[in-house]
Amino acid sequence: MLKRTILILLLCTLGCESTPKNKPDVGNAASEKVTSIDIDGLLKDVVLLRDRGFAKSPPDLVPVAEIARTEQAGTPEYVADRQAISEVLFGTNATPAIPGIGENEIARYDAQKHAIEYVETADSASLERALVYATVGAIDSGHFAPPSPAKSWDAELANVTAQHALGSLVYAGLLAERRNVDLEVVALRPEAMAAVEPVAKSFELIPTVGRSLDDTEAAFIRREGFTLAAALMRSGGWSSAELVRIDPPGSAAYIVRPDKWLAGEDLGTWDWPENLAKARVAQGWTQTNSGRIGSAIAAMWLGTHIDPRIARSLYVSWQSDTYRKYTKGDQWAFEWISLWKSPADAEQVVQAFDAAFKEAKTGDFVVMKNGATVVVIGARSQKDTSKLTERATELLKIGPKFTPAEPQMVAFVPTPFDEYVAGVQEAQLLFGEQGRRWADPAANLDMSLEPLKDWKVQKTESATARWVAKHPAGDTILMNTELSDPFATKFDTDAYRAEVVSNFKKTMKDPNVVINETAKNPRLGPVHHLKITGQVNNLPSIIELWMFESNRTVVTLSLKAWPDTVEASRPTVLALYEDIQVRKAIDEKPADKGIIKFQVDE
């Protein structure tokens, strides 16, 4: 309870929201303008968006020709842990420094000088991003203590990511505001930042082939720090977001799964079989390293062999892991046990890991599973893998122990994208007393499919094309849903409808727009109604569609028909359209959940 009380006081003292009339003082930091960036204006924007002022006076801004790269050494335990994992997974054996981001080589805050140094010749985009991180770092350094030195790679990665999380959030928010999207919306829809190219590149939302481990790690720090800070902001604004600096997660596995961290879920502890440990010693091996690899580092490693976005799916399924490394002369042996969400997930992990180890060629490995447990055993040179298989079979018999901790006082709030994906999975074609119906939690829709008695109706596995109905004559009716894009043209505008028409024209030969209108429907709100004739795949076709918004989702009901059958099919699609029922829409702003709110009187 003491820890909880201290956190409440700290959140109250450090993280209370500013009202519009009580914005932080942005100061009058002076700089000599030598770049195309309005640096003074940028810093003022950052301070206002960060919603907190400098603890002291604003820092001096000092242009320099270059900033020497400085590598901060970690604890001996961190260095040993990282070297052990790097040698086996990544095939590197360099003495590792604490991970960081490249921005501090372009701009950085020097606490001793109370100054932000920046390379005046850097390109504008990189300099702007670096100045954002440096400014947020200058603000936060006056209010929050640095994290305690970590004793593992997993924990140090969590430390550094937490330190830069608010900078990543401000950077994303700054670029979003220039596109008329508020920071509140950014916190609700972090995945939409993939549409903002500078953010997508620096956060590695767009996969890049051949990146170094340093670049991959820097992208992780920016991307996952942003996602974590956005999750906290959804729960209660800046007062919740600052929890990442007050009481940062102790593992990178919590960074990528803030829901687990906030709920107090344990990452598990493992008891290694004593007989297996003694067997290694009897064979002349010495245990040199042990600990957790974690889902974050595992995904970074796997992402060097497959699409990094697919590799990051490990975050959801990973439950716990532990490893041990042994040495004998210049040889090493490696044992890694992990628990996953389900046996099906574990099977996919086995296939991915096995393929990655074969491609990496850092040693000889055996990958096996039993239920949801996966064991990896490898050695630098072990041509007889039967011995590895025997030991793996024994290790598959053990599992972790979980001891839940006290939850944080901030509750996790899922994003609309999370809810949309969950709703897509729950959508059903229902058959009951009321006949055939379509129930769609993702778009809050309910509609009768009774008019489709002569049509073959099939639910799809796609998150956009929800169901398709085909007539024996060849006509098709399709229901599409897509989560609204906050960076796109506003739905209820002529410009949006014009973009839809333009896109359809690109897919048709000799297009002719017959109907192009927007009407207000008392049940559905604004509805775009389009009808276009032309050729699709060199065949004459008519496409008619109705588009409306429901629960932040754009819904499209469309008919694609032949000219000689369209009049027979049109009454069917109109009957479907007239029966669509929309449930009560969800409020666009996040509700306050699980956060104790404070107000400080001046």
Side-chain angles (χ1 to χ4, degrees), residues 49-50 102 104 157 180 192 194 227 231 238 240 255 260 283 314 324 327 357 380 459 467 512 544 547:
L49 192 59
R50 174 63 184 84
N104 57 12
L157 184 58
N180 300 314
T227 305
W238 277 112
S240 292
I255 293 283
K260 283 192 169 188
Q283 295 167 1
L314 294 183
R324 285 194 177 190
T327 59
F357 279 118
R380 171 171 285 173
K459 177 185 174 183
W467 57 261
N512 178 37
E544 187 170 7
M547 302 178 71

Side-chain angles (χ1 to χ4, degrees), residues 257 295 299 302 306-318 340 345 348-349:
R257 287 292 303 273
S295 54
L302 192 59
I306 64 174
D307 187 325
R309 294 171 298 181
I310 297 175
R312 291 197 283 270
S313 64
L314 294 183
Y315 297 165
V316 177
S317 184
W318 182 92
W340 302 86
D345 288 350
Q348 292 184 329
V349 168

Side-chain angles (χ1 to χ4, degrees), residues 188-227:
L188 275 171
R189 298 289 306 281
E191 86 291 340
M193 293 305 298
V196 182
E197 187 176 358
V199 176
K201 285 185 175 180
S202 63
F203 289 9
E204 206 179 68
L205 300 175
I206 303 171
T208 305
V209 178
R211 297 192 72 159
S212 67
L213 177 57
D214 286 347
D215 288 341
T216 299
E217 204 164 18
F220 174 94
I221 293 167
R222 301 185 198 103
R223 178 186 62 252
E224 304 304 340
F226 161 65
T227 305

Side-chain angles (χ1 to χ4, degrees), residues 201 210 235 338 345 347 385 411 480 506 559 574:
K201 285 185 175 180
S235 298
S338 53
D345 288 350
E347 179 60 37
T385 56
N480 283 75
K506 293 175 183 176
L559 167 67
L574 284 173

Side-chain angles (χ1 to χ4, degrees), residues 164-359:
H164 292 292
L166 301 183
S168 294
L169 179 63
V170 171
Y171 173 63
L174 187 70
L175 269 61
E177 285 199 341
R178 292 174 185 170
R179 292 159 173 79
N180 300 314
V181 174
D182 294 337
L183 184 61
E184 256 188 3
V185 177
V186 172
L188 275 171
R189 298 289 306 281
E191 86 291 340
M193 293 305 298
V196 182
E197 187 176 358
V199 176
K201 285 185 175 180
S202 63
F203 289 9
E204 206 179 68
L205 300 175
I206 303 171
T208 305
V209 178
R211 297 192 72 159
S212 67
L213 177 57
D214 286 347
D215 288 341
T216 299
E217 204 164 18
F220 174 94
I221 293 167
R222 301 185 198 103
R223 178 186 62 252
E224 304 304 340
F226 161 65
T227 305
L228 173 62
L232 293 173
M233 177 156 279
R234 286 196 302 275
S235 298
W238 277 112
S239 57
S240 292
E242 290 184 343
L243 180 65
V244 75
R245 293 302 310 269
I246 297 170
D247 185 28
S251 167
Y254 284 140
I255 293 283
V256 300
R257 287 292 303 273
D259 54 327
K260 283 192 169 188
W261 172 48
L262 296 177
E265 292 187 27
D266 186 32
L267 300 181
T269 56
W270 299 72
D271 292 327
W272 209 269
E274 188 175 346
N275 64 316
L276 294 182
K278 288 181 178 179
R280 280 288 188 190
V281 174
Q283 295 167 1
W285 293 94
T286 300
Q287 180 187 317
T288 54
N289 307 93
S290 64
R292 175 190 300 125
I293 293 178
S295 54
I297 296 170
M300 280 196 289
W301 161 69
L302 192 59
T304 62
H305 300 282
I306 64 174
D307 187 325
R309 294 171 298 181
I310 297 175
R312 291 197 283 270
S313 64
L314 294 183
Y315 297 165
V316 177
S317 184
W318 182 92
Q319 303 295 304
S320 182
D321 77 24
T322 187
Y323 84 93
R324 285 194 177 190
K325 187 181 179 186
Y326 303 87
T327 59
K328 182 167 61 173
D330 62 350
Q331 298 296 308
W332 54 256
F334 181 78
E335 301 174 348
W336 179 18
I337 317 173
S338 53
L339 179 68
W340 302 86
K341 193 172 184 179
S342 70
D345 288 350
E347 179 60 37
Q348 292 184 329
V349 168
V350 167
Q351 294 176 16
F353 279 15
D354 190 52
F357 279 118
K358 287 177 179 176
E359 181 181 281

Side-chain angles (χ1 to χ4, degrees), residues 29-40 60-64 116 118-120 127 131:
S31 67
E32 185 179 345
K33 192 176 293 184
V34 292
T35 75
S36 60
I37 299 175
D38 176 9
I39 295 179
D40 297 325
D60 296 327
L61 297 172
V62 182
V64 296
I116 293 177
Y118 65 94
V119 178
E120 53 188 339
L127 178 58
L131 284 168

Side-chain angles (χ1 to χ4, degrees), residues 341-406:
K341 193 172 184 179
S342 70
D345 288 350
E347 179 60 37
Q348 292 184 329
V349 168
V350 167
Q351 294 176 16
F353 279 15
D354 190 52
F357 279 118
K358 287 177 179 176
E359 181 181 281
K361 298 179 180 178
T362 57
D364 299 304
F365 292 89
V366 167
V367 185
M368 298 174 60
K369 71 173 279 286
N370 179 30
T373 302
V374 174
V375 166
V376 173
I377 294 190
R380 171 171 285 173
S381 179
Q382 181 74 48
K383 301 304 180 184
D384 182 8
T385 56
S386 62
K387 295 181 179 179
L388 301 181
T389 302
E390 291 174 9
R391 193 169 175 87
T393 303
E394 290 298 314
L395 288 174
L396 282 170
K397 298 176 182 178
I398 69 172
K401 296 177 182 178
F402 294 98
T403 308
E406 185 179 6

